[in-house]
């Protein structure tokens, strides 16, 4: 019970933080804290299989996948809030209220007391006993849970759906647009040349070379150009010569300083 009173406040604070933090990434990290606490509680109740599933599947796979998607795609606060299905907010509120009533009624019928019977339940082993209960007495609840997960997946697809205002362009439309841009502004018809074309290595800092040997500005990264780090070899020739002269002066100065010392050491001999 001591572990419960330590983890329960942390889990409640993390769950409240999920509701009030603004960034979805922070909410996902707080949800990981809640799931890790649940795994520890399962382990404290002599349920190692549930603890392993909670940590490995829910926190290690599903939640981390969700977190990676958030970090790769990003979340913009200016996303459209237009309902793709009419009345979905009303249905969501009614469903949430109904779920809350079911939870309150279910918890009100419980009698709080000391948890007993764990040793008897785990007598044949935790995993065989759990499988026996899951696929015999609670098989209906198990199937309802699977239907709930499918419903959640469908809800995620609905939330991610965006209505297309214009028809999807075909390959012919894209080709016609490229030809039109070329006729109007002289934009290159094909894709941009990749870095390192006709060069010694394929790197982003090596521009493509044209047939006359000059660098193609179309292959230079716009980020490098905006930072001002793009410099041509002729422009750096003066800097290279200056650095070489400074190195030569430093080398000669070092030799001049070491020469008197060597003569003074040889004089007493």
């Amino acid at each position: 019970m001591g572990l419960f009173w330590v983890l329960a406040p942390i889990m409640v604070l993390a769950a409240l933080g999920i509701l009030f933090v603004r960034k979805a990434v922070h909410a996902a990290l707080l949800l990981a804290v809640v799931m890790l606490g649940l795994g520890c509680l399962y382990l404290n109740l002599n349920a190692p299989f549930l603890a392993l599933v909670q940590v490995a599947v829910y926190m290690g796979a599903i939640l981390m996948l969700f977190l990676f998607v958030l970090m790769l795609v990003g979340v913009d606060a200016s996303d459209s809030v237009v309902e793709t299905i009419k009345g979905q907010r009303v249905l969501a509120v009614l469903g949430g209220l109904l779920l809350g009533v079911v939870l309150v009624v279910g918890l009100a019928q419980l009698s709080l007391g000391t948890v007993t019977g764990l040793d008897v339940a785990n007598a044949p082993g935790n995993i065989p006993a759990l499988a026996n209960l899951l696929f015999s007495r609670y098989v209906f609840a198990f199937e309802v849970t699977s239907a709930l997960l499918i419903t959640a997946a469908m809800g995620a697809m609905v939330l991610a759906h965006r209505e297309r205002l214009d028809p999807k362009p075909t390959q012919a439309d894209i080709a016609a647009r490229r030809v039109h841009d070329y006729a109007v502004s002289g934009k290159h018809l094909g894709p941009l040349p990749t870095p390192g074309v006709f060069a010694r290595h394929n790197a982003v800092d090596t521009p493509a070379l044209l047939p006359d040997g000059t660098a193609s500005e179309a292959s230079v990264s716009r980020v490098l150009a905006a930072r001002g780090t793009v410099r041509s070899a002729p422009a750096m020739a003066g800097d290279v010569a200056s650095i070489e002269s400074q190195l030569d002066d430093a080398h000669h100065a070092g030799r001049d300083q070491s020469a008197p010392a060597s003569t003074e050491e040889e004089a007493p001999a």
Side-chain angles (χ1 to χ4, degrees):
M1 293 298 293
L3 181 63
F4 172 79
W5 292 111
V6 172
L7 292 178
I10 299 175
M11 294 169 60
V12 171
L13 292 177
L16 292 176
I18 297 174
L19 301 177
F20 295 107
V21 295
R22 294 188 176 183
K23 294 185 177 181
V25 176
H26 296 168
L29 294 177
L30 291 174
L31 184 59
V33 175
V34 176
M35 290 184 175
L36 182 61
L38 284 176
C40 295
L41 293 181
Y42 289 148
L43 191 62
N44 190 37
L45 294 175
N46 296 327
F49 179 75
L50 290 179
L52 180 61
V53 170
Q54 181 69 35
V55 175
V57 177
Y58 286 94
M59 190 184 74
I62 299 176
L63 183 60
M64 291 300 105
L65 177 62
F66 176 69
L67 182 60
F68 290 157
V69 171
L70 284 178
M71 298 178 67
L72 290 175
V73 178
V75 178
D76 189 3
S78 62
D79 288 341
S80 176
V81 293
V82 178
E83 296 184 3
T84 56
I85 299 178
K86 299 298 182 182
Q88 64 179 6
R89 294 187 181 182
V90 178
L91 294 177
V93 172
L94 293 178
L97 292 177
L98 180 60
L99 179 61
V101 170
V102 172
L103 292 177
V104 170
V105 173
L107 293 176
Q109 295 179 355
L110 294 178
S111 58
L112 301 178
T114 305
V115 179
T116 57
L118 291 178
D119 295 335
V120 178
N122 293 328
N126 178 253
I127 298 178
L130 181 62
N132 186 23
L133 290 175
L134 193 62
F135 295 104
S136 60
R137 182 183 302 177
Y138 301 106
V139 63
F140 179 74
F142 179 75
E143 295 297 333
V144 171
T145 304
S146 62
L148 179 62
L149 293 176
I150 295 176
T151 305
M154 296 296 294
M157 294 174 61
V158 171
L159 292 176
H161 174 70
R162 293 292 183 271
E163 293 184 357
R164 183 181 294 275
L165 300 178
D166 300 328
K168 184 177 180 180
T170 61
Q171 190 70 23
D173 296 335
I174 297 176
R177 185 186 308 165
R178 287 184 176 179
V179 174
H180 177 268
D181 294 338
Y182 174 75
V184 174
S185 60
K187 185 178 179 181
H188 185 58
L189 284 174
L192 295 177
T194 58
V197 179
F198 302 119
R200 289 178 298 176
H201 53 84
N202 188 15
V204 71
D205 58 346
T206 302
L209 299 181
L210 298 175
D212 59 353
T214 59
S216 173
E217 296 181 357
S219 65
V220 179
S221 174
R222 293 180 298 175
V223 178
L224 298 179
R227 291 177 179 176
T229 57
V230 179
R231 301 184 64 184
S232 61
M236 297 179 62
D239 297 337
V240 173
S242 176
I243 294 174
E244 290 179 350
S245 62
Q246 292 178 5
L247 292 176
D248 292 338
D249 295 340
H251 180 66
H252 292 307
R255 293 181 58 184
D256 295 340
Q257 291 179 0
S258 61
S262 61
T263 54
E264 292 177 358
E265 291 177 358
E266 294 175 357

